[in-house]
Amino acid sequence: MGNQIAKRFIIVGAGPAGIHMAYLLALHGIKNVTILEKSDHLGGKCLSLAFHNQLHEMGATYLHAGYGELFKLLKDLHIENNSSPIFSNEQYFFLDNSAHSVINGKNWLRQEVVKGNLLPSLQKLPKKLKTTRSLWSRLNLIIALIKYQFLHRKIFGKYSRDFLPKPDNNFLPLLSHSTHDFLVENGLQILLPFFKACYVSTGYGFLENSPALYALWFVSPVFLRQCFWGLIANKPIAYVLPEGYQAIWETIVKQYELNIRYNIDIKVIERDQPAAPVVIRGIDQVTGKETEWLADEIILTLPMKDSLSILKEPTQNELDAFSKQKASTFITSIISCTADKRLEHQRIVFPKNLNIDGPGHLLNLRNSEECTRLHNSDHHERLDLVALQYIDNENYNKSEIDVSLKEELTMMGLKDVAVGLQKEWSYFPHYDAEQILAGYPWKILDFQGQNHTWYGGSSTCFESVLSVVNYNNQLISMILPEEKQIK
């Protein structure tokens, strides 16, 4: 243990992955840890901003029943778990992206299930026989849920952490298919509306081109069951934290007195000799001063594609693993408009934009007051909402996207719209079908620790707080293999 405590650790990135890793090291008595952060704040994609006395999540937002590690973390940090529930009947769907046809989420899901998944003989029944149609659809839905659970277990086995075990190579071609094709090929097309509502609407790509691997990663059997009971019995489908996701990482930094250096623009990471320390050189963007750090171990939690530009002589493994990753773009904007009763719901979803050929980029509007149940806004004559726009790549014209947002909001009939704070995210780093067939992202585990370098964050697993936390739980056992892991 003494050799480990004496080691110098440098963590690049003060997002959830970086702060959580520093937290795990601190639990093992390792204090010589420095976090280098390029921006002037912590939290990464967990960014909670106050606007008109109301907290708005500009990045990560939701938890669900499968987030056991996050709820455990709240308990360990003595943070009161007063998470606020999100209900399916508090999600409203604008069917034609205008103000004219609105339906709540529960009814939209039921309508989509009935519409798309009846036998031809039942489709010919008069609409007045709604009970027969509804019961048949519900029966088929239950069968599909059971089938999905067994298929998920068959592919990945039983696992306790969110980093999926590598499946048998025979399953990789199936996981490389699009999510749409995967569900249809396995007779699970009745689940398509659920995947649109909970996967596509949160910015993970379209079912038509997003690899099935990532959809199965996010839509675990636990989460799908929660969505089902949300539909059938009006149970919560997810939760939000009224104090904001960012508060978790702020609490860790405060309680464990973590050493974070903000505004550090890293220029190069040198790993010249196996027995020599890693050298990190960067510039303090506030003072302009060049600074150097030495580390026995370095943990990278930034987007891995970006790491290739600062690693001196990246290895072939690093080039193969990170140069081919793709990412999407997620833009969150706080918009204000004249108060409108139609928008006094937790979330407004635009189902036409959930298709790859959809007319716009606006996936949903989130009403933070309704989500948190904290009506603290001092802006009563107007309504503040968070708009979430999705672009399927990282190359886009920002001015065109802003115009598109205004047009879609105007089409809804919103009045006196003003776009305020905005945040652009490079989002959901992922591999395409070819790389999944080659064994990524699991291959990254094979070269963890080489050249005193470790890799964490969403580039190594999946773009969710739960995934990066659970990946860290696995990674710490590799960094400190001789230590008894703290549970």
Side-chain angles (χ1 to χ4, degrees):
M1 183 66 175
N3 291 336
Q4 298 290 3
I5 289 179
K7 280 188 174 182
R8 297 163 294 182
F9 283 83
I10 293 288
I11 298 174
V12 179
I19 293 177
H20 182 256
M21 180 54 71
Y23 163 74
L24 293 178
L25 291 170
L27 290 181
H28 287 84
I30 297 174
K31 304 295 185 182
N32 195 348
V33 179
T34 301
I35 304 175
L36 304 180
E37 168 58 40
K38 189 173 184 178
S39 74
D40 61 357
H41 63 273
L42 61 84
K45 293 190 184 79
C46 290
L47 180 61
S48 310
L49 297 180
F51 189 69
H52 291 142
N53 204 38
Q54 176 66 49
L55 205 63
H56 299 277
E57 296 286 24
M58 303 298 285
T61 303
Y62 303 107
L63 303 86
H64 61 68
Y67 273 51
E69 283 296 314
L70 264 294
F71 289 117
K72 178 181 180 298
L73 185 59
L74 291 175
K75 182 179 179 181
D76 292 344
L77 295 171
H78 306 290
I79 298 176
E80 184 179 357
N81 179 12
N82 56 352
S83 52
S84 180
I86 303 295
F87 295 96
S88 61
N89 65 351
E90 277 293 314
Q91 321 292 302
Y92 273 71
F93 285 67
F94 278 67
L95 300 185
D96 57 5
N97 286 24
S98 73
H100 304 296
S101 185
V102 184
I103 185 172
N104 74 32
K106 180 185 289 188
N107 290 334
W108 179 81
L109 281 169
R110 286 175 174 170
Q111 175 179 290
E112 291 297 303
V113 166
V114 170
K115 181 174 67 177
N117 301 283
L118 292 175
L119 292 175
S121 59
L122 285 176
Q123 289 177 333
K124 295 178 182 179
L125 288 175
K127 287 187 177 180
K128 63 182 180 180
L129 297 178
K130 290 182 179 179
T131 302
T132 301
R133 293 159 61 94
S134 178
L135 289 176
W136 178 257
S137 295
R138 189 173 295 189
L139 176 61
N140 277 343
L141 184 56
I142 293 173
I143 292 172
L145 287 169
I146 296 172
K147 186 175 181 180
Y148 181 82
Q149 181 166 319
F150 275 97
L151 182 59
H152 204 283
R153 176 70 64 85
K154 181 179 179 181
I155 295 173
F156 298 108
K158 186 177 181 180
Y159 59 97
S160 59
R161 296 291 173 92
D162 191 51
F163 185 67
L164 296 182
K166 185 179 183 298
D168 186 275
N169 288 338
N170 294 330
F171 289 116
L172 293 180
L174 188 62
L175 295 173
S176 70
H177 292 181
S178 73
T179 302
H180 177 276
D181 290 350
F182 174 89
L183 293 174
V184 172
E185 290 165 2
N186 287 282
L188 298 170
Q189 57 266 31
I190 196 171
L191 299 180
L192 287 169
F194 285 88
F195 278 74
K196 282 187 179 183
C198 66
Y199 182 74
V200 180
S201 74
T202 46
Y204 294 123
F206 303 109
L207 299 185
E208 296 87 346
N209 66 358
S210 181
L213 166 65
Y214 295 104
L216 269 67
W217 204 323
F218 182 71
V219 186
S220 65
V222 172
F223 184 33
L224 193 58
R225 287 198 301 271
Q226 186 172 10
C227 291
F228 172 76
W229 286 113
L231 172 66
I232 300 300
N234 197 31
K235 299 289 186 181
I237 57 174
Y239 303 89
V240 296
L241 299 172
E243 292 79 15
Y245 248 123
Q246 195 171 358
I248 298 175
W249 319 115
E250 291 172 342
T251 300
I252 290 176
V253 170
K254 183 177 180 180
Q255 288 187 11
Y256 288 85
E257 300 179 340
L258 300 185
N259 177 25
I260 304 179
R261 291 289 306 275
Y262 295 102
N263 301 298
I264 300 299
D265 185 11
I266 296 175
K267 295 301 182 182
V268 65
I269 298 173
E270 299 176 357
R271 306 165 295 176
D272 295 334
Q273 300 295 329
V278 178
V279 180
I280 303 99
R281 293 190 174 93
I283 296 176
D284 187 313
Q285 299 175 95
V286 175
T287 65
K289 181 181 177 181
E290 294 185 11
T291 310
E292 177 181 289
W293 293 267
L294 301 179
D296 299 301
E297 305 287 340
I298 185 167
I299 304 171
L300 303 174
T301 67
L302 72 166
M304 290 305 154
K305 201 167 186 178
D306 294 347
S307 72
L308 296 178
S309 64
I310 58 176
L311 287 169
K312 181 182 178 182
E313 298 180 1
T315 66
Q316 192 60 50
N317 281 331
E318 291 167 336
L319 289 169
D320 291 343
F322 305 135
S323 64
K324 296 178 181 179
Q325 279 194 336
K326 299 178 180 179
S328 307
T329 301
F330 212 40
I331 302 177
T332 51
S333 308
I334 297 179
I335 65 142
S336 297
C337 63
T338 301
D340 190 324
K341 287 287 185 182
R342 298 170 306 154
L343 303 178
E344 293 179 0
H345 304 288
Q346 291 177 329
R347 202 166 70 131
I348 310 296
V349 182
F350 302 89
K352 283 195 174 182
N353 290 345
L354 304 183
N355 300 315
I356 196 169
D357 56 354
H361 299 284
L362 182 60
L363 297 183
N364 62 76
L365 296 171
R366 186 174 67 249
N367 187 321
S368 300
E369 280 194 292
E370 295 298 328
C371 285
T372 62
R373 310 295 184 181
L374 297 177
H375 299 277
N376 295 329
S377 176
D378 53 10
H379 205 212
H380 302 299
E381 72 281 2
R382 291 178 64 77
L383 186 63
D384 297 329
L385 303 166
V386 180
L388 292 88
Q389 292 174 283
Y390 173 79
I391 301 99
D392 204 21
N393 55 68
E394 294 183 281
N395 302 312
Y396 60 96
N397 185 309
K398 179 59 165 57
S399 61
E400 291 180 0
I401 298 300
D402 289 342
V403 169
S404 173
L405 175 61
K406 281 284 191 77
E407 289 177 348
E408 292 189 83
L409 295 174
T410 301
M411 190 184 302
M412 288 178 59
L414 301 192
K415 298 179 180 179
D416 300 323
V417 175
V419 178
L421 300 170
Q422 288 188 302
K423 184 62 183 179
E424 300 173 58
W425 302 108
S426 175
Y427 193 74
F428 183 38
H430 59 276
Y431 292 102
D432 63 15
E434 182 180 350
Q435 278 72 54
I436 292 172
L437 287 171
Y440 291 104
W442 300 279
K443 268 192 175 183
I444 298 171
L445 290 170
D446 295 339
F447 57 90
Q448 288 279 10
Q450 293 180 7
N451 297 319
H452 307 289
T453 307
W454 306 87
Y455 315 90
S458 58
S459 296
T460 61
C461 47
F462 181 78
E463 183 76 87
S464 77
V465 177
L466 177 65
S467 290
V468 299
V469 165
N470 278 333
Y471 192 85
N472 277 355
N473 288 335
Q474 179 169 340
L475 191 58
I476 194 69
S477 66
M478 301 174 68
I479 296 173
L480 307 174
E482 298 177 0
E483 303 302 325
K484 181 179 180 181
Q485 298 304 308
I486 297 174
K487 302 297 182 182

